[in-house]
Amino acid sequence: MDLAFIPSPSRGVVELGPIPLRGYAFCIIIGVFVAVWLGNKRWVARGGRPGTVADIAVWAVPFGLVGGRLYHVITDYQLYFSEGRDWVDAFKIWEGGLGIWGAIALGAVGAWIGCRRRGIPLPAWADALAPGIALAQAIGRWGNWFNQELYGKPTDLPWALKITSAEDGRIPGTYHPTFLYESLWCVGVALLVIWADRRFKLGHGRAFALYVASYCAGRGWIEYMRVDDAHHLLGLRLNVWTAIVVFVLAVVYLVVSARTRPGREEIVEPSASDELTSGEAGGDDKADRVKLDKSEAEASGEAAEPSGDGAESSSGGGAESAKKA
């Protein structure tokens, strides 16, 4: 008998009048807002302009959604193109199914386009956004809870997830809440990146690389616990191999980048730097004008004093002459 467990929602949709609010989509949207908000604070702290992160996110987010969906559909094509399946379901993103690997890869392409249009370095923007992306993933994973999907092996632990749906091959019971494990891991990754960035002044994409490596380290063991259908290679799930490869690439980038480009970018957004320099120059010019006006006023006052003395002396001499006469 299960004395304690995490209940699953009876449905993943909340009706707000005529508008259906799907839990999965809601979690994704909230995650995006949190990532942009935190990324903007970090970008401004590094000398960038407010709003730049959001402007580039306009490019990165749509590309990321398309990339995440493509990765999911390609790696789980049997869910949409096998016998008895409807390929139209591949477009129903609100029902779940986003691969983080595709989302980051294609999202980076969108971010590169946005950064190029604004004339700023992509690595610096990625560093600012890295912990925000991890928090967005932590929030987005709760969308799997709404959909009763991507859970782990059966367990009777007090924090087990109770699955009640019997659709799409699910078997009601209590399972490891891998969505919760990954959500908590992503929060830890965000905190690690923020701490390391402050401690070591990470730059040139190294904060983003640390996020990638840290996430992959956790995704590997969490993915190993899942029981949903997945393609396997040499006895391991495809996503486990992906996590291993990406982890190695991220670590190599960290090491090579630290040796070839140590330190952090001094200027992350040239236009913001130009405005600051222009403002400082304007302030110096104004101060110089005040000093010049003050000098002119003092010089004018000094010139007036002798004239006054002469007049006073002349007036005094005329009075004395009048007395003598």
Side-chain angles (χ1 to χ4, degrees), residues 9-292:
S10 58
R11 52 188 309 205
V13 183
V14 177
E15 303 290 343
L16 296 179
I19 303 175
L21 180 61
R22 299 182 179 276
Y24 186 88
F26 180 72
C27 291
I28 296 297
I29 293 172
I30 295 299
V32 169
F33 274 103
V34 170
V36 171
W37 169 78
L38 181 58
N40 181 71
K41 289 177 66 67
R42 287 170 51 81
W43 183 254
V44 172
R46 291 190 59 179
R49 299 175 60 182
T52 296
V53 168
D55 291 343
I56 297 174
V58 170
W59 288 90
V61 172
F63 273 73
L65 290 175
V66 172
R69 189 60 175 178
L70 282 175
Y71 182 89
H72 167 72
V73 172
I74 291 173
T75 56
D76 290 306
Y77 62 87
Q78 71 279 359
L79 299 177
Y80 308 100
F81 302 104
S82 60
E83 185 177 355
R85 298 285 184 169
D86 187 357
W87 63 271
V88 176
D89 292 340
F91 296 95
K92 297 179 180 179
I93 191 173
W94 56 86
E95 294 183 354
L98 287 176
I100 186 61
W101 316 112
I104 294 296
L106 207 55
V109 174
W112 175 79
I113 295 174
C115 287
R116 186 176 178 83
R117 290 169 60 90
R118 294 295 294 264
I120 63 177
L122 174 61
W125 185 84
D127 282 343
L129 206 67
I133 296 176
L135 289 179
Q137 289 178 249
I139 297 171
R141 272 306 174 197
W142 283 86
N144 301 134
W145 176 68
F146 280 102
N147 287 351
Q148 296 197 37
E149 60 184 2
L150 305 187
Y151 45 86
K153 300 174 182 178
T155 182
D156 57 357
L157 290 171
W159 57 84
L161 172 67
K162 188 174 182 63
I163 296 297
T164 59
S165 174
E167 298 179 359
D168 295 328
R170 298 184 184 92
I171 300 176
T174 55
Y175 300 86
H176 278 284
T178 50
F179 83 91
L180 178 60
Y181 298 160
E182 186 168 338
S183 179
L184 294 176
W185 183 270
C186 287
V187 172
V189 169
L191 295 177
L192 172 65
V193 173
I194 291 173
W195 171 82
D197 194 26
R198 291 177 177 175
R199 174 67 176 81
F200 302 106
K201 303 297 182 184
L202 301 177
H204 302 287
R206 287 189 288 277
F208 184 80
L210 177 61
Y211 144 71
V212 172
S214 302
Y215 171 74
C216 290
R219 178 63 184 268
W221 67 266
I222 294 172
E223 184 74 23
Y224 188 74
M225 296 179 65
R226 283 168 45 174
V227 295
D228 53 296
D229 292 334
H231 296 288
H232 286 70
L233 180 64
L234 299 179
L236 293 178
R237 292 166 66 97
L238 178 61
N239 281 334
V240 174
W241 283 111
T242 304
I244 294 173
V245 172
V246 175
F247 172 83
V248 172
L249 292 176
V251 171
V252 170
Y253 179 87
L254 271 170
V255 174
V256 174
S257 176
R259 292 180 177 178
T260 58
R261 306 186 71 184
R264 175 187 282 179
E265 300 92 339
E266 295 184 0
I267 298 176
V268 296
E269 191 166 4
S271 59
S273 178
D274 293 342
E275 288 180 3
L276 180 61
T277 303
S278 176
E280 292 176 350
D284 293 341
D285 292 343
K286 184 176 180 180
D288 291 341
R289 286 197 298 271
V290 171
K291 291 179 181 179
L292 180 60

